[in-house]
Amino acid sequence: MGDANADRRPPGELEASVLATLWAAGGPLTPGQVQEALNTSHARTTVTTILTRLYDKGTVTRTRCGRGFAYLPTEDASGLTARRMHSELERNEDRGAVLSRFVSKLSEEDERILRALLDAEGGPA
């Protein structure tokens, strides 16, 4: 017997592909348009389900388009990553430990960038 999950995508991969499609479009897309742009064998209903999940998470907005909806990302890729980082930070009671661990794992270049950003945002008064 074959593995039924062998052809399945890793969790979140289809969501990421749908978001990338919306970012590239630069304007609202219907599920059918997203499906066409993805150029995959996924049914339109599957794409609609993914878009609905993204809407429920606040990752996309939607406007009425005929009998359905057209979807638009609420923020760019960097903004979405930042929101996810904030969400993870808020889940932990010891924010200092999380931030310390995060900073300790930064590359030298990323640490330099972070220091420059912190200095520019609100260094000592």
Side-chain angles (χ1 to χ4, degrees), residues 20-90:
T21 299
L22 291 172
W23 286 320
L29 294 178
T30 64
Q33 292 168 322
V34 172
Q35 178 196 24
E36 185 177 318
L38 286 172
N39 198 21
T40 66
S41 61
H42 291 291
R44 187 190 53 75
T45 54
T46 300
V47 174
T48 301
T49 298
I50 295 299
L51 287 164
T52 300
R53 288 179 185 165
L54 291 170
Y55 175 77
D56 290 343
K57 293 177 183 180
T59 307
V60 299
T61 59
R62 66 185 183 190
T63 55
R64 186 59 76 179
C65 183
R67 294 186 313 178
F69 294 100
Y71 295 82
L72 187 67
T74 57
E75 50 201 341
D76 63 10
S78 297
L80 179 59
T81 300
R83 182 160 47 116
R84 287 176 177 159
M85 292 169 68
H86 279 283
S87 177
E88 288 300 319
L89 183 61
E90 290 172 1

